[in-house]
Amino acid sequence: MAQLCIFLIVWALYTATAAPGTIFGDPSEYQFIPAIWGIAHPPGYAFYTLLAGIWQRVVAVGSVAFRTNVLAGAAGAWTVSRVFAIIVRVGHGESMATTHKNFFRSLPVWGAACSAALALAVAPDMWQHSIHANAHIVSVAITSTQLWVFVRWWQGDGDRWLFALAFLCGIGVTHHPITVWGLPAYAVFILLNRPQIFKQPKTILFFVLCGFLGLLPWLYFPFRSLDAPFGPTDMRTWPGFLRHATAQGLRVNLFHFGWAEQIDRWRVLWTLLRLQYPWPFLLVMIVGIVILVRRWPKLAVLWGLFLLGHLIFTLNSVQDVMAYMLHPFMALAFLVGVGALAILEFLNRICDHRRAQICVIIASILLLGIPVGVGIYTFPRISLRDWNDADLFFARLVARFEQRDTRAAFVSDWEHLTPYFYYTYVEDVQVAEEDLRHVYVTGDSPWAESVFGNLPLGPVYLSNYRREIRDLGFRLRPEGDMWRVLEPPATEPVAPQYPLENVWAGNRVELVGYDLPVTSVPQGGIVPVILYARVVATQTGILMPFALLGTVEQRWTTDSRCLTPEWLPGEIIVERYEVYVPYTLSPDIYPLQLGYTDMTETGVDLFFTDGQRQIVLGDIVVTPHATAAREGRVVSRALTNIGNDVALMSARVHSGWQTRTGIWDAPLSLQPGQPFHLTLDWQVLARPRTSYTVFIHLIDAGGVPRLGHDYTPLGGAFPSYLWFPKWLEGQRVIDPYRLTLPEDLPPGQYWLEVGMYEMGSVRRIPQFSVNGTMTGDRFILGPVVVE
């Protein structure tokens, strides 16, 4: 009954915060593939497809998308309940039957099990994977069940549990290869507890047969492959089956790091661990490790090898790291339970009978209060119950193109197409091909080829800004959620929200109009501004707009822009800019003004037709934000504020005995080929708006990068935004790097710069001072002298 209560409470929490519909990327695939009995991307997820397909047809609550999200919540709650059950079984041990009858004798066990289970339930990684459709939460549900079954066998409940383990191991393999990293631990544990098992052929035979029985879901692939409406059609052949089921094409992402990076990878683990469990539970976890080794050494071997196998694999991979980390986080929750049990039992021993009961009750309440407090704090930051970006995107797509006969092509990445597939296959919302064709960009059909191949057939729209298309000379015109690709000269008519006539800046660039779609924004928010402009003569100077919000000046950078020397006379260039409202700006009404400057003449501002340096675009209402004061204090202590989303709090670089922190003036002396270590300290200010790539460049006096390292934070382990925001407001992330200078780097002085850019568009994120003034799109840490 207690296990059922834990399951229902946690499932209710996950359901209350679950996404209501589709989500960009893989989550929508996990929704539509089971609904149409298709085959998902490698490794195919045979067991998940069968499980979710049956669930979608039996649990007919809400849309197919929502009920599949609820399935993730059920898998997460089941995992939490298995951790609870393991702690109860281990804590009661052989005296389980008698201690169950005595409440106060059982209280330390129940208190420890509840606190550890709830700690896992509110851990951000576990919570996030339990509120949207995904196969990875089912993976950890399988491995937690394997460990629970193993404990039952270890406690002498019979070989039926050993056979159940074999069956679950087979199920796990058909679901995802990640589950195999626990198998060496299982084999060692079986031999430790029954070294004579090789003399029991009947037991081995039944074990193997149960394992093969667990592999039966794999039969789905060859039976379905030939007629699958989505997925590979060659899985009736061994090469096709093995290529897909073992994810051969994704193996380049495995064991990505070498021996030299291992210290940094374990530092990453520590950072991720601190984000999952509060400090008191990390201390309790250490107690749990000691107690487990001393009290249950064989169980310690099982848990230690299970953790080691998963961590060595996951920390050295660069794909789905946080999803794979679910398994170690689940296993570590058990150690929290063991530590809590030891503490509560210690209080029980040192106090007399009556006081012991009170002490254990108070301590149990305190231990339970920690995850409850964490859950209350995390709930609004992690909840996806209002997250409907993908649904709205598809609805706007249909409204724009349906029955328009535009012959348009929607050239898109995987992330934006999966909601399209869901509505097409599941909800039967069809967009006729004469209205819109979807074009899926892959490695075999990249962005450039997809654009060139479809432009002769009709208008081409991109799902997001693509710098490589702009660099080919095309004009990218923002239109709603998409970007229209135009061949120069871009003379197609435009309809700005606020058209202008005879508005010139310096008699060199004419402002045709502008869009101001948002006029009310909270502190820390963004005001998008879309400018329509043209020139009548070829320009040699770079004429860039800038904005003033009240007295806050933001001069936009030239990154990812179509600059005026590239404009052809007469064509209308449309560019989107963003005005970032500082957290420190008081709520009020502020005029938004626009100016132009000639960047080739040391920033000389141009005069408009009326003789003024700026024109007023409109009034912006800045509304209060609940956490603006706190974020303002964070920004005031930071080295730089990146896009009002994340602050760089500190930086530390060292090589040998040399160390530099923050912003340094004394050069760091290095030699060609010499490695150095850089540690960046990020703090999340708000839900990230996109997936960020951290760039670290060593640049020369001309600003040319001579050493570059561009990657997702924490070496791919902790993306800021993966289909929806992953980073949570207030999180602190320590991000270590090991970089090596090129062997052929010429001697001289260089500078180390850091920053972030959008992963898909490669557009750099602007950076700001405390008062909101834009300082550029990179941050110079200090000089480096190469000798």
Side-chain angles (χ1 to χ4, degrees):
M1 181 59 71
Q3 296 178 36
L4 179 60
C5 289
I6 288 289
F7 173 82
L8 293 177
I9 290 171
V10 176
W11 193 17
L13 173 68
Y14 292 159
T15 302
T17 51
T22 62
I23 293 178
F24 290 121
D26 287 3
S28 289
E29 183 195 17
Y30 293 127
Q31 292 167 341
F32 80 78
I33 285 291
I36 63 174
W37 298 120
I39 299 176
H41 68 271
Y45 307 99
F47 175 72
Y48 172 83
T49 302
L50 295 172
L51 174 67
I54 295 171
W55 176 278
Q56 290 171 344
R57 289 158 177 83
V58 173
V59 185
V61 177
S63 67
V64 170
F66 176 71
R67 70 185 71 154
T68 317
N69 296 337
V70 172
L71 170 61
W78 173 259
T79 302
V80 171
S81 71
R82 291 313 88 203
V83 171
F84 174 88
I86 292 171
I87 296 170
V88 170
R89 297 284 310 188
V90 173
H92 284 310
E94 296 177 356
S95 60
M96 188 168 182
T98 57
T99 51
H100 264 300
K101 298 176 182 179
N102 189 321
F103 173 76
F104 288 108
R105 286 187 62 188
S106 301
L107 187 57
V109 176
W110 297 119
C114 287
S115 59
L118 292 181
L120 176 63
V122 299
D125 195 34
M126 187 72 186
W127 198 338
Q128 285 179 328
H129 281 89
S130 299
I131 56 178
H132 73 278
N134 69 101
H136 299 291
I137 193 66
V138 177
S139 295
V140 72
I142 292 171
T143 55
S144 64
T145 307
Q146 291 171 350
L147 291 172
W148 170 65
V149 164
F150 229 156
V151 168
R152 298 293 299 266
W153 173 75
W154 170 67
Q155 290 188 328
D157 285 358
D159 279 352
R160 67 183 185 277
W161 295 101
L162 187 63
F163 302 145
L165 172 70
F167 175 76
L168 289 170
C169 289
I171 289 290
V173 170
T174 67
H175 174 71
H176 195 286
I178 187 67
T179 60
V180 305
W181 293 103
L183 299 186
Y186 300 165
V188 171
F189 189 67
I190 291 172
L191 291 176
L192 279 176
N193 285 276
R194 191 181 292 180
Q196 71 277 15
I197 194 170
F198 290 113
K199 298 179 181 179
Q200 300 171 349
K202 186 180 295 186
T203 302
I204 294 177
L205 177 62
F206 271 91
F207 186 87
V208 173
L209 288 176
C210 289
F212 275 110
L213 190 63
L215 297 177
L216 287 179
W218 258 347
L219 294 177
Y220 173 78
F221 290 150
F223 278 121
R224 188 59 176 156
S225 179
L226 193 60
D227 301 317
F230 193 98
T233 58
D234 62 346
M235 295 191 71
R236 290 191 175 187
T237 66
W238 275 114
F241 177 87
L242 292 175
R243 181 178 61 253
H244 199 79
T246 60
Q248 292 180 10
L250 302 178
R251 294 181 186 176
V252 293
N253 300 313
L254 310 181
F255 298 105
H256 178 81
F257 300 96
W259 288 107
E261 289 90 6
Q262 291 309 299
I263 293 178
D264 282 344
R265 299 315 296 161
W266 288 95
R267 292 178 65 193
V268 166
L269 170 63
W270 176 242
T271 295
L272 297 179
L273 191 57
R274 287 193 298 108
L275 294 177
Q276 306 307 313
Y277 295 110
W279 275 103
F281 278 172
L282 293 178
L283 297 176
V284 173
M285 191 182 297
I286 295 173
V287 175
I289 295 172
V290 175
I291 297 301
L292 187 66
V293 171
R294 294 184 58 182
R295 192 168 173 182
W296 299 288
K298 291 182 180 179
L299 207 58
V301 171
L302 171 62
W303 246 257
L305 292 178
F306 180 90
L307 282 166
L308 194 61
H310 278 280
L311 288 175
I312 289 176
F313 168 76
T314 302
L315 290 177
N316 288 288
S317 301
V318 292
Q319 180 173 331
D320 295 330
V321 173
M322 291 306 293
Y324 297 161
M325 285 298 295
L326 287 169
H327 304 270
F329 292 152
M330 174 272 298
L332 290 170
F334 168 72
L335 298 179
V336 173
V338 173
L341 175 63
I343 293 171
L344 294 176
E345 288 182 338
F346 175 75
L347 291 175
N348 213 10
R349 286 196 303 270
I350 64 173
C351 302
D352 59 52
H353 179 68
R354 186 178 299 275
R355 289 176 57 196
Q357 295 174 1
I358 297 174
C359 288
V360 171
I361 290 173
I362 293 174
S364 298
I365 292 174
L366 291 175
L367 286 172
L368 286 171
I370 295 174
V372 170
V374 170
I376 294 172
Y377 174 82
T378 306
F379 189 102
R381 292 165 173 78
I382 206 169
S383 175
L384 294 179
R385 58 181 177 178
D386 298 322
W387 192 259
N388 57 359
D389 286 27
D391 296 317
L392 293 178
F393 179 86
F394 180 80
R396 289 191 288 263
L397 197 69
V398 173
R400 181 185 183 95
F401 293 102
E402 192 173 31
Q403 298 180 353
R404 300 295 177 88
D405 195 23
T406 58
R407 309 284 173 175
F410 175 49
V411 180
S412 175
D413 50 21
W414 171 251
E415 284 72 17
H416 287 81
L417 275 183
T418 53
Y420 189 100
F421 292 147
Y422 170 83
Y423 278 100
T424 300
Y425 287 117
V426 180
E427 303 294 344
D428 198 28
V429 180
Q430 303 286 342
V431 181
E433 189 167 320
E434 58 267 20
D435 296 327
L436 185 68
R437 307 182 314 279
H438 70 262
V439 179
Y440 176 28
V441 175
T442 65
D444 296 329
S445 179
W447 290 94
E449 282 77 355
S450 298
V451 168
F452 280 115
N454 285 280
L455 268 177
L457 307 177
V460 172
Y461 295 84
L462 307 181
S463 57
N464 53 354
Y465 182 92
R466 301 303 304 188
R467 185 171 182 171
E468 60 265 49
I469 302 301
R470 191 207 69 81
D471 289 344
L472 290 173
F474 291 103
R475 309 311 191 214
L476 297 185
R477 181 175 291 180
E479 295 187 11
D481 297 313
M482 298 176 294
W483 296 81
R484 172 89 180 270
V485 180
L486 297 172
E487 295 183 89
T491 55
E492 283 79 355
V494 295
Q497 182 183 4
Y498 299 100
L500 299 174
E501 293 185 7
N502 198 32
V503 177
W504 290 80
N507 292 321
R508 297 167 67 184
V509 58
E510 181 184 11
L511 189 61
V512 177
Y514 63 93
D515 294 345
L516 197 60
V518 175
T519 56
S520 179
V521 63
Q523 296 167 290
I526 291 178
V527 179
V529 180
I530 299 174
L531 302 180
Y532 301 74
R534 63 187 170 195
V535 296
V536 295
T538 301
Q539 297 294 312
T540 57
I542 299 176
L543 310 180
M544 279 293 295
F546 64 90
L548 287 170
L549 182 63
T551 59
V552 178
E553 182 178 87
Q554 297 190 358
R555 292 183 177 265
W556 292 304
T557 65
T558 59
D559 178 64
S560 300
R561 306 288 183 192
C562 184
L563 304 178
T564 46
E566 304 172 32
W567 296 11
L568 299 179
E571 68 175 343
I572 298 177
I573 300 298
V574 184
E575 288 277 1
R576 177 188 170 99
Y577 301 88
E578 287 85 22
V579 177
Y580 290 77
V581 180
Y583 286 106
T584 54
L585 189 64
S586 301
D588 205 340
I589 300 176
Y590 298 91
L592 177 62
Q593 302 178 75
L594 180 77
Y596 270 87
T597 186
D598 188 343
M599 299 188 68
T600 57
E601 296 186 12
T602 64
V604 176
D605 291 347
L606 306 181
F607 288 93
F608 282 92
T609 308
D610 59 2
Q612 301 297 316
R613 289 181 182 271
Q614 295 95 29
I615 62 171
V616 176
L617 300 183
D619 288 331
I620 302 299
V621 179
V622 177
T623 59
H625 189 282
T627 63
R630 181 180 63 201
E631 309 307 344
R633 290 192 295 269
V634 173
V635 169
S636 68
R637 301 192 306 268
L639 296 178
T640 186
N641 166 16
I642 302 179
N644 279 352
D645 277 353
V646 59
L648 178 61
M649 303 304 296
S650 65
R652 180 178 183 272
V653 63
H654 74 276
S655 179
W657 295 104
Q658 299 180 88
T659 300
R660 303 288 186 273
T661 58
I663 307 172
W664 65 84
D665 296 320
L668 183 73
S669 297
L670 299 173
Q671 295 180 348
Q674 184 175 351
F676 64 95
H677 296 265
L678 174 66
T679 301
L680 304 175
D681 181 2
W682 309 106
Q683 178 151 342
V684 183
L685 301 173
R687 269 191 169 188
R689 299 174 178 91
T690 185
S691 182
Y692 292 145
T693 295
V694 177
F695 68 82
I696 303 167
H697 296 159
L698 191 70
I699 59 174
D700 59 21
V704 177
R706 307 304 293 268
L707 166 67
H709 182 90
D710 298 40
Y711 221 81
T712 310
L714 275 69
F718 196 45
S720 62
Y721 187 113
L722 184 61
W723 310 316
F724 61 88
K726 291 289 189 179
W727 286 12
L728 303 181
E729 176 191 331
Q731 287 181 326
R732 196 82 177 256
V733 180
I734 305 301
D735 194 5
Y737 296 89
R738 182 183 184 274
L739 307 166
T740 302
L741 296 185
E743 295 282 356
D744 58 351
L745 186 65
Q749 181 158 309
Y750 301 85
W751 288 263
L752 196 64
E753 67 172 13
V754 299
M756 290 182 171
Y757 59 78
E758 297 177 2
M759 179 179 291
S761 66
V762 200
R763 291 186 297 185
R764 289 191 176 185
I765 310 301
Q767 302 184 15
F768 304 92
S769 64
V770 176
N771 65 3
T773 300
M774 188 178 295
T775 57
D777 53 26
R778 63 182 182 178
F779 187 79
I780 303 296
L781 291 174
V784 174
V785 171
V786 177
E787 301 173 342

